[in-house]
């Protein structure tokens, strides 16, 4: 089978993406015609008879390693191969560990029985190309996507590397995204492209017509959340976290980098690094949050001065930069999250040598989540999934979407309920639902899809032992007490004493919202321009009912109306802009 590959939209990205992709066929030979690599993308490719792997190289390491590794026969031809992005804590292995270390771990006969403690996307091709295995971490934070393309299993760490000309929209995913900011379950915006489920292994074999699924991590067997919080609990949680941080620091990638906010998540990491006297750099992007207050950069800079650690503030962008970064965010994330335009400024600030970026992801996702604050939860766990679905999916969008194309609000609620049921019926169901829906499908991907090659993102709060420790306690206790706050207050009082996003000084002034509104309007105009240039406005309005379509047409060039009216259409506008500009990566141009 002969394939032609074209590079997806690159959006003027000036650093090499940290990405791998490939293809496998159970019994056909594959050849690929590659288009020229974009500027700045140094790639490595492995190919055998019925499979191929491609990844970026790290120019930050002397040996310029990629994310793919092969075991060769006596003639130097690859027989087995591994693609691996992310890390395992025990034993310490990461994206840029030696090929021998990575191959030894993932080509082990028993790797499917391991409890893989880390955040990773892994692909194994074994038995001289006879089997293909796809696996992600216990909570699926590191994304891995796949599709069946005329019998070829294509896979990638970013869904935009899997597109083809015959792609069809998944309106269930579209509606869930525009209404909640995340895509439910393991869908993507394209019906044919799926995400590898959290904690599962997909195995394709030459004798099988479809994948066999193995669960290596059962969320239903996590602690039920019945223990009450007492003084011993605080000590146990702090001891567990410090052990986690030590495990994370055993991963060697030259230097430590801390994105520092004013919240408790990164502050606990900061305290642990300072206590260990670990050299590190820290950076804060100045953004205006919570009534347009400058919290993160303001208080992080004060702490850096008082405690004497290396810190840099990246100043707020002007409108042009903000629009550019928002555009690049949409491309890199393939419109799977509204969030994190600010993260590109952070990525551009990373040093030109390998680093471990310690991310506070999920620090507040196990006990203080948005779902946990929904009234009525944790009384009868059997009802929690219904309460969550009703709260997250309202009927509002039924009033503006064309019913001929779209699933209803009740359809989306059933989709969410079905997925949440897979997480068990314990008291922790709401926390796990938030973790595997909102955190996994929206929040986590900034550090996965935007990270330049050569760097490694590590998430200590998602260490399996730490998660099990937290989930053993009752969610209402955690919501009331906050382990993050209690641990800082008791063990790190100097770091706790500073104001921040969880303790805003009452006299702290708000910033002028005029600039923020101007940024929002400029982003809307940019998206609208992209749609117009590709004649996509009629495609967008055809998906709205008549009343909503008229509202959209009227609001297009009115700044005040756009911020009120068009902001409600923002998610749909972003998706349509993606659709009309999308480049098809894969084409079968000849079959034999």
């Amino acid at each position: 089978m002969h394939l032609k590959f074209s590079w997806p939209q690159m959006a003027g990205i000036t650093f090499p993406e940290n990405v791998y992709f490939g293809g496998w066929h159970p019994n056909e030979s594959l050849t690929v015609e590659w288009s020229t690599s974009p500027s700045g993308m140094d790639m490595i490719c492995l190919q055998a008879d019925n499979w191929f792997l491609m990844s970026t190289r790290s120019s930050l390491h002397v040996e310029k390693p990629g994310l793919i590794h092969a075991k060769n026969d006596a003639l130097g031809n690859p027989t087995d191969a591994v693609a691996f992005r992310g890390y395992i804590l025990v034993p310490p292995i990461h994206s840029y560990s030696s090929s021998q270390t990575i191959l030894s771990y993932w080509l082990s006969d028993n790797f499917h029985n391991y409890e893989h403690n880390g955040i990773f996307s892994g692909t194994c091709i074994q038995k001289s190309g006879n089997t293909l295995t796809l696996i992600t971490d216990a909570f699926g934070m590191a994304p891995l996507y796949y599709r069946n393309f005329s019998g070829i299993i294509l896979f990638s760490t970013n869904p935009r590397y899997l597109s083809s000309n015959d792609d069809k929209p998944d309106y269930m995913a579209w509606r869930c995204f525009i209404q909640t900011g995340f895509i439910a379950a393991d869908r993507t915006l394209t019906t044919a492209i799926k995400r590898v489920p959290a904690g599962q292994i997909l195995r394709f074999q030459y004798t099988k017509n479809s994948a066999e699924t193995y669960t290596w991590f059962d969320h239903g067997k996590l602690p039920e959340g019945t223990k009450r919080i007492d003084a011993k609990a605080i000590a146990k949680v702090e001891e567990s976290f410090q052990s986690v941080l030590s495990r994370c620091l055993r991963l060697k990638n030259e230097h430590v980098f801390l994105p520092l906010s004013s919240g408790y998540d990164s502050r606990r990491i900061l305290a642990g690094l300072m206590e260990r006297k670990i050299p590190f750099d820290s950076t804060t992007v100045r953004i205006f949050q919570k009534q347009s207050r400058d919290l993160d950069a303001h208080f992080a800079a004060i702490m850096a001065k008082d405690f004497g650690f290396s810190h840099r503030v990246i100043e707020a962008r002007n409108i042009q930069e903000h629009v550019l970064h928002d555009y690049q965010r949409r491309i890199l994330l393939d419109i799977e999250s509204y969030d994190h335009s600010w993260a590109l400024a952070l990525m551009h600030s990373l040093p030109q040598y390998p680093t471990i970026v310690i991310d506070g992801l999920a620090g507040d996702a196990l006990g203080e989540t948005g779902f946990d604050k929904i009234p009525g939860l944790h009384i009868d766990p059997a009802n929690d999934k219904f309460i969550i679905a009703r709260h997250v999916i309202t009927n509002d969008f039924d009033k503006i979407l064309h019913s001929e194309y779209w699933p209803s609000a009740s359809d989306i609620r059933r989709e969410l309920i079905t997925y949440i049921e897979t997480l068990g019926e314990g008291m922790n169901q709401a926390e796990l639902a938030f973790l595997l829906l909102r955190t996994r499908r929206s929040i986590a991907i900034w550090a996965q899809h935007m990270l330049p090659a050569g760097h490694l993102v590590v998430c200590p709060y998602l260490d399996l032992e730490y998660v099990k420790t937290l989930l053993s306690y009752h969610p209402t206790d955690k919501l009331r007490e906050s382990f993050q706050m209690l641990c800082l207050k008791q063990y790190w009082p100097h770091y706790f004493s500073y104001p921040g996003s969880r303790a805003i000084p009452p006299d702290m002034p708000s910033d002028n919202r005029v600039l923020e509104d101007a940024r929002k309007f400029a982003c809307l105009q940019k998206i609208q321009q992209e749609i117009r240039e590709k004649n996509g406005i009629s495609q967008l309005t055809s998906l709205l009912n008549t009343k909503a379509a008229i509202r959209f047409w009227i609001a297009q060039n009115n700044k005040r109306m756009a911020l009120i009216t068009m902001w409600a259409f923002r998610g749909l506008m972003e998706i349509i802009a993606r659709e009309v500009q999308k480049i098809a990566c894969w084409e079968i141009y000849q079959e034999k």
Side-chain angles (χ1 to χ4, degrees), residues 197-397:
Q200 293 188 7
I201 296 171
L202 301 184
R203 180 162 295 156
F204 302 84
Q205 301 184 62
Y206 76 99
T207 56
K208 306 287 184 180
N209 293 323
S210 59
E212 295 178 297
T213 301
Y214 304 89
T215 298
W216 73 263
F217 189 87
D218 187 350
H219 304 101
K221 293 183 179 179
L222 285 164
E224 294 185 2
T226 56
K227 293 170 65 175
R228 313 308 301 205
I229 294 178
D230 55 18
K232 291 181 180 179
I234 301 168
K236 184 174 182 179
V237 167
E238 179 62 22
E239 179 184 0
S240 176
F241 182 71
Q242 292 306 319
S243 296
V244 172
L245 199 53
S246 294
R247 282 196 287 274
C248 291
L249 293 171
R250 283 198 285 269
L251 297 166
K252 302 297 183 184
N253 201 36
E254 192 162 319
H255 200 59
V256 174
F257 183 90
L258 176 64
L260 182 61
S261 75
S262 63
Y264 295 150
D265 305 335
S266 60
R267 216 182 289 191
R268 282 183 78 191
I269 298 170
L270 170 66
L273 295 176
M274 294 292 288
E275 176 71 10
R276 289 167 174 77
K277 297 181 171 55
I278 299 292
F280 68 96
D281 293 321
S282 64
T283 294
T284 308
V285 180
R286 196 184 302 279
I287 58 175
F288 298 93
Q289 56 172 312
K290 295 192 176 181
Q291 292 79 48
S292 296
R293 292 180 172 93
D294 174 19
L295 300 170
D296 291 342
H298 180 79
F299 293 115
I302 293 174
M303 285 190 287
K305 181 179 179 181
D306 290 350
F307 293 115
F309 58 85
S310 171
H311 181 253
R312 175 189 174 192
V313 173
I314 301 174
E315 294 301 331
R317 295 146 289 162
N318 59 39
I319 289 177
Q320 291 76 21
E321 278 186 305
H322 182 86
V323 171
L324 174 61
H325 284 185
D326 188 64
Y327 170 63
Q328 292 176 335
R329 180 268 307 171
R330 289 188 278 119
I331 301 303
L332 286 170
L333 302 188
D334 201 36
I335 317 298
E336 287 204 347
S337 175
Y338 290 141
D339 303 324
H340 314 309
S341 293
W342 59 267
L344 277 159
L346 179 70
M347 295 307 184
H348 285 299
S349 77
L350 289 172
Q352 290 302 300
Y353 47 79
T355 61
I356 292 176
V357 180
I358 305 187
D359 182 12
L361 179 71
D364 60 354
L366 297 169
E368 301 173 73
T369 75
F371 289 176
D372 275 333
K373 297 172 184 176
I374 300 172
L377 286 179
H378 311 309
I379 298 170
D380 180 357
N383 290 327
D384 284 355
K385 56 183 174 287
F386 303 108
I387 296 171
I388 292 169
R390 286 196 301 269
H391 180 86
V392 171
I393 303 296
T394 66
N395 296 327
D396 295 344
F397 276 77

Side-chain angles (χ1 to χ4, degrees), residues 161-226:
Y161 283 82
L162 300 179
S163 61
S164 75
N165 279 321
D166 60 352
D167 286 345
K168 300 291 188 296
D170 184 335
Y171 286 117
M172 182 77 78
W174 284 29
R175 172 151 184 181
C176 190
F177 171 72
I178 66 177
Q179 194 154 353
T180 68
F182 62 78
I183 298 173
D186 298 304
R187 296 174 181 269
T188 71
L189 299 175
T190 302
T191 54
I193 301 173
K194 304 298 181 185
R195 185 158 164 164
V196 175
Q200 293 188 7
I201 296 171
L202 301 184
R203 180 162 295 156
F204 302 84
Q205 301 184 62
Y206 76 99
T207 56
K208 306 287 184 180
N209 293 323
S210 59
E212 295 178 297
T213 301
Y214 304 89
T215 298
W216 73 263
F217 189 87
D218 187 350
H219 304 101
K221 293 183 179 179
L222 285 164
E224 294 185 2
T226 56

Side-chain angles (χ1 to χ4, degrees), residues 427-443:
M427 281 290 181
N428 291 313
Q429 192 180 70
E431 290 177 280
L432 288 172
F434 190 90
L435 192 67
L436 294 190
L437 290 170
R438 174 69 177 159
T439 304
R440 173 187 176 226
R441 296 307 311 264
S442 178
I443 300 170

